[in-house]
Amino acid sequence: KRDSNIDFRRVPNLKVFFTKYAISLTLDPNEIEQWQPGDIVIFGNDSHIGIVSDKRNKNGQPFILHNGGQPKREENILPRRKVTAHYRFDASRLPAGAAIAFAD
């Protein structure tokens, strides 16, 4: 049963989930082959989360799709922010009952 007291949009809660159920990857943005579109990245002392884009900068580092209180954006933020987690998520790896179907 879903716990209505937990706000699942919060980055620390999401980090616990991804640490348990996703594949952890490099934190080094210079290991460009490790960064693939759709990966999840957490940065800024675990206060911000984004998704790896299919666009890359001139050095091959990916842009990040994110929203930090401003309009959503796709930007070259990895060279400027400390990455604290990087995950690749595959829902098929979840144990039975770990996900709750979305319903309006």
Side-chain angles (χ1 to χ4, degrees):
K1 181 177 176 189
R2 187 181 317 232
D3 184 342
S4 62
N5 295 311
I6 298 174
D7 184 345
F8 290 97
R9 296 171 295 166
R10 301 293 181 212
V11 177
N13 295 339
L14 292 167
K15 186 174 183 184
V16 169
F17 178 83
F18 288 125
T19 297
K20 186 170 184 176
Y21 295 115
I23 299 166
S24 292
L25 300 166
T26 185
L27 302 181
D28 184 350
N30 294 312
E31 293 182 38
I32 58 174
E33 68 283 349
Q34 290 276 323
W35 296 84
Q36 298 300 318
D39 286 356
I40 307 296
V41 61
I42 296 176
F43 49 96
N45 297 321
D46 294 345
S47 63
H48 202 64
I49 193 165
I51 300 172
V52 174
S53 170
D54 62 342
K55 295 181 182 172
R56 295 183 178 256
N57 68 18
K58 64 182 178 177
N59 298 321
Q61 297 168 334
F63 282 36
I64 302 297
L65 300 157
H66 69 107
N67 178 351
Q70 72 285 343
K72 60 187 177 279
R73 57 180 70 188
E74 179 176 27
E75 70 176 322
N76 184 23
I77 196 170
L78 283 182
R80 301 188 319 266
R81 300 288 296 270
K82 179 184 174 193
V83 175
T84 57
H86 173 201
Y87 304 105
R88 188 157 302 140
F89 180 68
D90 176 356
S92 70
R93 297 171 48 106
L94 289 174
I100 298 170
F102 178 77
D104 285 328

